[in-house]
Amino acid sequence: MFNTERWQEIFEAIAKNKLRTFLTGISVASGIFILVILLGAGKGLQNGIAKQFERDAEGIIEVWTGTTTKEYKGLNPGREVQFRNSDYDLAVTKFDDKLDRRSAVYSYWNGVIVYGKETGNYQFRGIYPDYLALENATIVSGRFINENDLLHNEKVAAIGQKVKLDLFKDKNSIGEEIIINNVNFKVVGVFTDPSGEREESRIYLPITTTQKAFSVGDKISNMQFTLNKKATYEEALAQSTEFTKELGQLLRSKNTVAPDDESAIGINNSIENAKQFYDLNLYIRLFFWWVGICTIIAGVVGVSNIMLIIVKERTKEIGIRKALGASPISIVGMILHESIFITTIAGFIGLLSSLLLLELVGPYVKSDYFLNPEVDFGVAITTLILLVFAGAMAGFFPAYHAAKIKPIVALRDE
């Protein structure tokens, strides 16, 4: 424990080496400052990535078709694969107990939408009711497509917020008629989507109505699913990986596609994508820790050199202390106190400066994959522990050297 005399000795020792102590303190403070800023940036990346994955339902799995690239069962490559209602029905029937949300989708990319004198080109999609949750969209007025609409082939539409503003301005759109590619539909709902304007430029219709009204038969563009929730990420990843494999095998077999032809039938598993992003984020944060710690080590080396100089200058004093009965551990404690004091004070300055900068600037730094850089309580505690440890390490070797000095040799020192 520090007493008044010990504190006075520390301040006197620091005062004798003001310039060296100041420069060393700057080095330690800058190391902590850089470390905390980098960790805050790493947290900003993590927040940004998490925000991106909030835009769609957790664990969404999407399946689509393309062109075959491999010969299979006498069929040449270059064949277009087309999903149909039977593909969706087969998948739902086989995996019903594993599925949480599900929807087949038919997409029309450049529909002509007319309301009164207003005309615009927007994407419309035929979907199932679960699609609202799959897209993480929210109804702001009216309702979404429901099972009754599918069953009775109702000509109803849920429009995005941007479509509503473009066509209806400030007028209420619920119950109004719009013309989609020369077919009349009644607006029953308006939705908003956290992904922004592109998603809010869409119109959603019952898929059964879409197939009949636009003469596409039983064709579908893609399918989307989410699985039942699991207790841990590892369980969810294992479940989705198994489901993706089995679903791919089922659909490729039904459509006579080679088992490994991913161009013909592609599957995107967002849980696996999330793992890749979070792994990348982990590597970035580890790199930031490494850079910051290396900077701190440079400061610690400076503190250690200062303490060696102090030990050299106080050799005679140390000899007198030992001649008067001071134990080696008390000599070690004396040097360690000074070392820890220098690094802790300098580190606190760097820590507080970096936290203040993050607090002031952080809320204004926003992008798609970078949001609200911050340092949580656990990181702050870790930094404090690192400070004390760094101070102890900086003073240990000089302290050990001081403790080994023999009194007779120390008293002869000039």
Side-chain angles (χ1 to χ4, degrees), residues 6 67 84 150 160 173 195 197 204 220 295 301 359 412:
R6 182 88 280 270
T67 304
R84 299 186 180 274
L150 270 71
S173 59
S195 296
E197 188 174 286
Y204 296 139
I220 59 178
T295 308
V301 171
E359 185 70 21
R412 291 176 182 170

Side-chain angles (χ1 to χ4, degrees), residues 263-293:
S263 295
I265 295 180
I267 303 179
N268 180 62
N269 182 347
S270 70
I271 294 185
E272 291 181 349
N273 294 342
K275 183 177 186 303
Q276 294 173 0
F277 274 111
Y278 280 109
D279 284 347
L280 175 61
N281 183 65
L282 173 62
Y283 298 144
I284 291 173
R285 297 186 73 186
L286 288 175
F287 175 73
F288 287 168
W289 269 104
W290 171 252
V291 172
I293 288 174

Side-chain angles (χ1 to χ4, degrees), residues 84-103:
R84 299 186 180 274
N85 290 340
S86 58
D87 293 283
Y88 176 71
D89 295 337
L90 178 63
V92 169
T93 301
K94 180 174 177 58
F95 300 108
D96 184 61
D97 59 330
K98 296 181 180 180
L99 299 177
D100 178 32
R101 305 282 185 177
R102 74 289 303 272
S103 179

Side-chain angles (χ1 to χ4, degrees), residues 30 53 98 180 208 304 401:
S30 64
F53 280 98
K98 296 181 180 180
I180 304 176
T208 51
S304 185
H401 175 73

Side-chain angles (χ1 to χ4, degrees), residues 186-211:
K186 182 170 72 173
V187 177
V188 295
V190 179
F191 66 88
T192 183
D193 193 299
S195 296
E197 188 174 286
R198 185 183 66 176
E199 282 71 17
E200 291 182 352
S201 299
R202 294 174 183 166
I203 298 173
Y204 296 139
L205 315 173
I207 190 168
T208 51
T209 309
T210 303
Q211 291 172 333

